[in-house]
Amino acid sequence: MNQYDKSVSSHASINTLSARHVAVKVITNILLQQGSLSTQLARHQLDIASEHAPMLKELCFGVCRQYPRLNSIALHLLAHPFEEKDTDLYAVLLLGLYQLTYMNTPDHAAVNETVEACRILKKDWATKLMNAVLRRYQREADDIIEVLEAQPSVEFNMPKWLVKRFNKHWPEHLEDIIEASNTHPPMCIRINESLVSRETYKSQLADLGIGSEDGKFSESALYLRNAVRVGELPGFDAGYVSVQDEAAQLSAHILSPKDGDKILDACAAPGGKTGHLLEKANATGLSSMALTAVELEPWRMEKIESNLQRLGYSANLICADASNLEAWWDGEHFDKILLDVPCTATGVIRRNPDIKINRKPADIEDLVTIQRAILNRVWETLKPGGFMLYATCSLMPEENEQQIQYFLANQEDASEVPLNSLAPSFATEWGIPVSHGRQLFPTSEGHDGFYYCLLRKKAQL
Ligand SMILES: C[S@@+](CC[C@H](N)C(=O)[O-])C[C@H]1O[C@@H](n2cnc3c(N)ncnc32)[C@H](O)[C@@H]1O
């Protein structure tokens, strides 16, 4: 090993160690159900130097993405599972197994770091155990994995209950859903068409050596052949582009803001679709579109503010429970409403792999109840003759077509309309038609899983 190699490897080991230390905290909190991966990463990102951030992300996303496999391996290796008070040790073990199985970390370094992590946690009693477990895995990994592959959770790298649900609802799409949900999503950007055309921006990217391809369904979407940091995207700070999945971009194209429209974005944070609606309005030179964005969580509200600030737009921002009209609504009806409700996010597991750890079957019922309450109340704020776009990033029919079926059966003044009603030139060949609305499945090289249904309030007689 030459001097340069030595210095790189010593830096790599310092980076890994420090990122690893924070990763233990993040994974422990996720296992203890104390918030999502994105919340945890945001909270702990400042605990480490910025150059360690990519390693922290790799470790945390990696463990979550591979959790069903790693969890089965860990339980197979341990004679007794760790007690809840030692969840941090379980996180240490999962990280060690992740490094041994999926990273280029030399085996001895992965084992040493895992053992050292027990000392850092002041649980020296576990060092021998951890050493023995990882050394056994080193010796027997192939045999262990072969035995465990018989379990659906290991075969599909997905919790068993989710495999069963996907198979029950979408048997002919099962393999594609699983494959897409287990991959890294491609980087998709949204071009701000009020500032630059997709063609022009694409050639600006090409000049910088960044290859891209047009989205097939959203006219504002570009897929980058290789992910880049947002700072490398020309004009990012000036609002020329945003990072947004192609399926998510369909909302603004479907709602197609018109001059004079009063629009509500009822579950708005982090404001991706809010920004797109405002861009669309500006691209068509609309002067008098008014947008109100409602969001429940104050800390997520700040994300809408910073997103709009970057894009240079403003909206009427309200922090409130959208279903509590008494708290936020002034009684003026809206022409169009986007209702992008909280959901199981089962169409975006690849972006939120902690779903594999934390999502439970009972969440579906709970979320359906919340969605129903928001849908019923927010409907009151829609003008007769007005349109509401109901959206989720879920693959569960209970949250999608069945939710709408129940709504239509109980809401006499509601009807479903074709998704291109507001923009007839807008193609709707994406996804598949379901009993109400359209369902998109995640695709490996393309868009996320999504659901859309467009509703209209009957005009008063
Ligand atoms: C699927 S996300 C919305 C994503 C957003 N439309 C975008 O494109 O960036 C759902 C949002 O609804 C918010 N939310 C949940 N319950 C709510 C409620 N009762 N009222 C308003 N917002 C709510 C969540 O905090 C979350 O930010």
Side-chain angles (χ1 to χ4, degrees):
M1 185 187 278
N2 63 33
Q3 216 38 48
Y4 173 75
D5 286 338
K6 266 189 200 158
S7 113
V8 168
S9 92
S10 82
H11 271 99
S13 128
I14 292 165
N15 284 0
T16 312
L17 193 64
S18 119
R20 221 173 175 288
H21 189 60
V22 181
V24 171
K25 285 198 227 173
V26 170
I27 299 295
T28 303
N29 288 342
I30 290 172
L31 291 170
L32 291 171
Q33 315 241 337
Q34 288 176 1
S36 66
L37 175 58
S38 56
T39 321
Q40 289 296 327
L41 279 178
R43 188 170 300 156
H44 289 287
Q45 206 110 42
L46 294 179
D47 296 354
I48 54 165
S50 61
E51 67 263 29
H52 298 179
M55 175 58 87
L56 173 65
K57 222 172 147 192
E58 155 78 42
L59 289 169
C60 295
F61 268 82
V63 166
C64 292
R65 205 168 259 139
Q66 308 300 343
Y67 179 77
R69 283 202 177 136
L70 297 175
N71 185 46
S72 293
I73 295 170
L75 294 176
H76 180 87
L77 290 167
L78 290 169
H80 307 285
F82 286 112
E83 290 178 34
E84 190 174 330
K85 67 180 172 52
D86 295 320
T87 303
D88 48 3
L89 286 176
Y90 197 54
V92 166
L93 176 56
L94 293 175
L95 281 158
L97 290 170
Y98 177 70
Q99 283 185 296
L100 283 175
T101 318
Y102 298 102
M103 288 181 80
N104 292 330
T105 323
D107 284 7
H108 67 274
V111 175
N112 289 347
E113 285 169 13
T114 305
V115 170
E116 181 55 25
C118 300
R119 294 204 179 90
I120 294 173
L121 292 172
K122 302 207 181 336
K123 295 190 175 178
D124 293 36
W125 58 266
T127 53
K128 251 179 140 174
L129 168 72
M130 211 61 93
N131 194 38
V133 162
L134 289 190
R135 298 248 177 249
R136 181 177 157 212
Y137 180 61
Q138 272 181 290
R139 288 191 309 273
E140 300 175 22
D142 289 348
D143 293 342
I144 291 173
I145 290 170
E146 199 183 318
V147 170
L148 296 177
E149 280 283 348
Q151 300 174 6
S153 62
V154 176
E155 182 190 350
F156 295 106
N157 206 6
M158 192 65 67
K160 189 173 157 194
W161 74 270
L162 260 178
V163 177
K164 277 175 119 175
R165 293 284 174 131
F166 288 150
N167 191 38
K168 176 177 164 205
H169 298 308
W170 313 111
E172 66 281 27
H173 298 280
L174 177 69
E175 283 187 15
D176 292 342
I177 292 172
I178 300 280
E179 191 191 320
S181 301
N182 282 336
T183 52
H184 288 253
M187 185 167 182
C188 183
I189 57 174
R190 180 185 83 227
I191 311 304
N192 184 343
E193 294 169 289
S194 73
L195 296 177
V196 64
S197 73
R198 176 161 75 172
E199 276 319 297
T200 305
Y201 196 80
K202 197 175 172 181
S203 59
Q204 286 177 9
L205 286 177
D207 290 345
L208 294 169
I210 303 174
S212 63
E213 264 132 46
D214 292 352
K216 287 197 204 87
F217 310 115
S218 161
E219 61 212 36
S220 47
L222 268 185
Y223 286 96
L224 305 191
R225 284 196 200 117
N226 295 303
V228 298
R229 282 181 288 115
V230 287
E232 292 172 47
L233 295 170
F236 179 80
D237 288 338
Y240 277 64
V241 275
S242 301
V243 177
Q244 189 181 39
D245 169 67
E246 185 179 11
Q249 293 184 31
L250 299 176
S251 313
H253 295 304
I254 296 170
L255 272 180
S256 184
K258 296 277 175 301
D259 209 2
D261 273 351
K262 197 170 147 51
I263 299 186
L264 169 68
D265 183 355
C267 295
K273 300 182 187 75
T274 321
H276 195 192
L277 285 165
L278 290 159
E279 279 172 15
K280 285 281 286 181
N282 277 272
T284 44
L286 305 184
S287 52
S288 60
M289 186 198 88
L291 196 142
T292 297
V294 176
E295 166 59 40
L296 180 67
E297 303 281 353
W299 69 275
R300 288 176 63 82
M301 197 78 202
E302 286 170 23
K303 302 218 168 212
I304 310 180
E305 281 163 19
S306 61
N307 260 326
L308 295 191
Q309 200 172 21
R310 183 180 62 82
L311 294 172
Y313 300 129
S314 60
N316 177 24
L317 304 185
I318 302 173
C319 190
D321 174 350
S323 67
N324 182 6
L325 300 190
E326 297 68 24
W328 68 269
W329 188 43
D330 62 6
E332 293 265 329
H333 288 84
F334 297 96
D335 300 290
K336 292 173 185 168
I337 296 176
L338 171 60
L339 198 60
D340 188 15
V341 287
C343 69
T344 52
T346 35
V348 289
I349 294 175
R350 58 189 183 173
R351 293 186 196 279
N352 306 282
D354 48 318
I355 287 174
K356 292 185 180 187
I357 301 179
N358 281 339
R359 189 62 77 220
K360 301 282 176 283
D363 295 345
I364 300 175
E365 215 174 299
D366 293 349
L367 282 158
V368 165
T369 307
I370 292 168
Q371 292 155 359
R372 186 160 295 162
I374 300 176
L375 181 51
N376 284 332
R377 286 312 311 274
V378 171
W379 184 254
E380 294 175 39
T381 72
L382 185 65
K383 256 186 197 161
F387 292 88
M388 175 187 275
L389 181 62
Y390 178 85
T392 75
C393 53
S394 167
L395 303 183
M396 297 295 153
E398 297 92 324
E399 300 177 271
N400 299 339
E401 54 186 301
Q402 290 171 19
Q403 180 74 278
I404 296 301
Q405 185 169 18
Y406 182 90
F407 180 72
L408 291 172
N410 290 283
Q411 200 74 46
E412 279 181 1
D413 60 356
S415 63
E416 183 187 348
V417 292
L419 277 159
N420 57 356
S421 296
L422 289 159
S425 61
F426 178 63
T428 48
E429 75 272 21
W430 35 266
I432 58 162
V434 286
S435 63
H436 298 285
R438 286 185 88 88
Q439 181 72 58
L440 294 111
F441 300 103
T443 59
S444 290
E445 301 293 323
H447 56 72
D448 287 343
F450 240 86
Y451 170 81
Y452 285 112
C453 186
L454 187 61
L455 301 165
R456 182 161 203 201
K457 196 179 237 185
K458 289 175 189 156
Q460 270 164 351
L461 300 173

